[in-house]
Each structure stands twice: as C-alpha cells, then as structure tokens.
Amino acid sequence: MQVIQSLSAWKELRPQLTGALGLIPTMGALHEGHLALMRRAREENEIAVLWIFVNPKQFAEDADFGSYPRVMEEDLRLAGECGMDYVLAPGAREVYPEDFQTYVEVEQLSQPLEGAHRAGHFRGVATVVAKMLCLTQPQRAYFGQKDAQQTLVVKRMVEDLGMLTEIVVCPTVRDQDGLALSSRNARLSPRERKAALVLYRALKDVETALRCGERDCEVLRGRMRDILGREPRAEVEYVSIADPNTLAECATVAGPVLASLAVQIGDTRLIDNLQIEPRG
Ligand code: PAF
C-alpha cells in the first residue's frame, strides 16, 4: 500500500494506472462502516484508493472541525488490512490553495434536513467530492447510506455534470444494539452512548407503526418526537418523513419513505435514517 500526501505526485501517477479504480471517500477515523466500503471496493475493482481528508469547507463551525477525530496511524493500519492499493491523504493547502475559487452547488437537494441546519455543508461536500472524482477518475465511488442526503446530493451532481463515475451506496453498519456507526460516536461518554440508542428506537418505532398501517406522516413524526422527548440527554434538531428521492416532506405514506433525524446528545450531533417500504 502506498500513502500519497502530495496531489502533484498523485497527478503524475494516475495516468500510469490501468483497470477499474474504486474510490472510498472518507474523512478518516475509520470504523466498520468504512471497512465495509473498502472491502466492497476491493472486491469490485482492480485498484482501490482510500481518500482521507478532513474537509474544512463542509463544517459550519470551527469547533466541530477542530475536534473531528484524527487518527491517521490507525487508519493506515485498517486501510492496509482491507487491501487498499493507495491512500490519498492530501493537505488542506493543496486541496484548497489560496487562489481556490470554484464551488459546486446542488441547489434543491442541499436545502432541507442537514442543509437547513448546517449552512454551506453540502456546498463543501459537493465541491470536495467533485475535486476527488476529477483527481482520481474512478469507475466507482463508495458511500454509506447513513449519510442518505449526501448520497442524493452526490448522485445528482454526478448526473448533472456528466461525470462517468458510478456511485455505489452501501447499507448503514450498526453496532449490535442498533447504534449507527459514526466517527463522532468516539466522542460519546458511556452514558451518552446509551442515550444515543434513542435515535434507532425512534426510527424502528416509525417502521413498526407504518407496517401496522399508520399512513399519516405528522402522526409518525409526532411518535419520533415523543420517543426522543423521553430521553433527557437528547435534544432534537429535526425529524423527517420524506420522499427518498426528492427529500420533500410527505403528508401521507404512499410508497417508500425516508425516515431521518438529527439529534444532539451532549456535545455530539448524531444523524440516522431508515428507508421504509410500507407493506400492502
Ligand atoms: O462522508 C464523508 O466522510 C464526507 O462527507 C466526504 C464524502 C468524505 C467528503 O468530505
């Protein structure tokens, strides 16, 4: 495995590589969710490239960017175990030189949910993903369903700008008790870790209610708020029952829906979602 920190070195190397390249975009602090993406990329491509870059342009708050976990040595060990050929870990100066002035904005899909609570977040994500797709020219790029809105934004961008990469979305990986894996989980105290289970509980309750015939989305959102309200450490940012393609909030359930939520547990902001198919 080769670790490349210089984009100019990578630009020289890329034209010499042949065969399908699979890219796994990450901000490091790798967990089982990332490992699943790496293993899948390893299986499906001749060349597997892990991207590690904590992208300052997608953080609304400096404090959140500053405290994002950075554990490069451990990340490299895991990348090696998953059979990565290259780890691309550029510095911020090279990704965003002083005269950087080009941004990608996916207009509608970036607005609700995460976009409404994290100003400029998806502009930062779309811009850095566009840059890494240009640099690496992958056949496939692998993203987790945990960031459902991100996958929609990236797919829209790829479609709208005529990029040739296939966006592969892999299922959310959860701990045994249901907590969705996230690099941010590392910041939870044991008590907060327990409290954080309320996110999955609220989502599973929506699934059960929906499968029992509840079709009124305001009732479903109310059920999520009730469950979250019973956990004193949880501060709700939003709950949503939306169309899984457009993210428009639904009034009644007529087909598959994306139930999603963002909740602050102590100082840690967590998100999760379930795509639910109503039966019958
Ligand atoms: O999902 C992430 O870790 C980031 O948003 C991504 C896609 C690597 C862009 O910085």
Side-chain angles (χ1 to χ4, degrees):
M1 183 175 82
Q2 205 177 324
V3 181
I4 300 178
Q5 285 174 313
S6 143
L7 289 182
S8 29
W10 170 260
K11 281 182 195 168
E12 274 183 33
L13 174 71
R14 178 61 185 101
Q16 297 163 34
L17 303 177
T18 52
L21 188 151
L23 175 72
I24 308 98
T26 79
M27 297 203 296
L30 304 177
H31 51 65
E32 277 297 328
H34 296 116
L35 303 197
L37 303 182
M38 287 195 276
R39 290 187 190 117
R40 174 126 180 229
R42 178 64 289 163
E43 263 172 43
E44 295 180 348
N45 302 277
E46 273 85 55
I47 304 161
V49 178
L50 175 70
W51 167 278
I52 300 181
F53 176 63
V54 184
N55 174 30
K57 295 205 186 281
Q58 68 186 78
F59 288 83
E61 288 165 34
D62 287 351
D64 192 24
F65 171 67
S67 67
Y68 201 83
R70 290 162 172 88
V71 283
M72 187 56 93
E73 226 171 275
E74 174 66 359
D75 287 348
L76 294 180
R77 189 183 68 74
L78 293 168
E81 274 180 24
C82 290
M84 294 296 98
D85 297 302
Y86 298 96
V87 175
L88 203 45
R93 283 273 163 75
E94 233 187 333
V95 177
Y96 300 119
E98 243 166 48
D99 54 352
F100 187 88
Q101 50 192 296
T102 306
Y103 291 86
V104 178
E105 196 135 4
V106 178
E107 292 180 341
Q108 274 118 302
L109 280 170
S110 295
Q111 273 170 26
L113 308 177
E114 289 300 288
H117 290 84
R118 301 178 71 188
H121 172 66
F122 287 117
R123 184 183 195 243
V125 169
T127 301
V128 81
V129 173
K131 182 152 190 170
M132 66 176 95
L133 294 184
C134 288
L135 282 164
T136 58
Q137 303 282 308
Q139 183 92 22
R140 303 180 188 86
Y142 296 82
F143 293 83
Q145 171 65 19
K146 158 117 186 323
D147 295 303
Q149 188 172 11
Q150 171 169 280
T151 67
L152 293 175
V153 166
V154 168
K155 279 184 175 173
R156 188 74 257 159
M157 173 188 80
V158 163
E159 176 67 26
D160 287 354
L161 297 183
M163 295 171 166
L164 299 179
T165 301
E166 179 193 343
I167 302 302
V168 181
V169 179
C170 302
T172 302
V173 178
R174 299 181 180 281
D175 271 336
Q176 272 191 350
D177 55 11
L179 183 68
L181 296 192
S182 160
S183 305
R184 289 191 163 87
N185 293 355
R187 291 188 196 158
L188 298 169
S189 70
R191 280 193 181 153
E192 288 171 343
R193 165 77 185 60
K194 212 165 160 206
L197 292 176
V198 75
L199 278 84
Y200 190 55
R201 242 187 354 262
L203 292 171
K204 288 304 271 184
D205 176 78
V206 169
E207 184 177 66
T208 307
L210 223 144
R211 298 245 160 102
C212 291
E214 182 57 66
R215 292 291 178 267
D216 184 329
C217 293
E218 210 28 55
V219 171
L220 295 171
R221 286 185 279 264
R223 289 178 73 113
M224 283 207 273
R225 281 193 211 98
D226 282 349
I227 292 175
L228 294 163
R230 277 182 248 133
E231 171 47 66
R233 289 175 205 275
E235 209 176 296
V236 184
E237 225 170 70
Y238 65 78
V239 297
S240 161
I241 308 285
D243 180 296
N245 299 309
T246 65
L247 299 181
E249 288 299 318
C250 301
T252 51
V253 178
V257 291
L258 182 76
S260 67
L261 72 181
V263 179
Q264 191 86 22
I265 305 277
D267 290 335
T268 308
R269 184 177 185 279
L270 298 175
I271 60 171
D272 199 356
N273 69 81
L274 269 189
Q275 182 156 331
I276 309 170
E277 307 269 347
R279 280 205 205 105

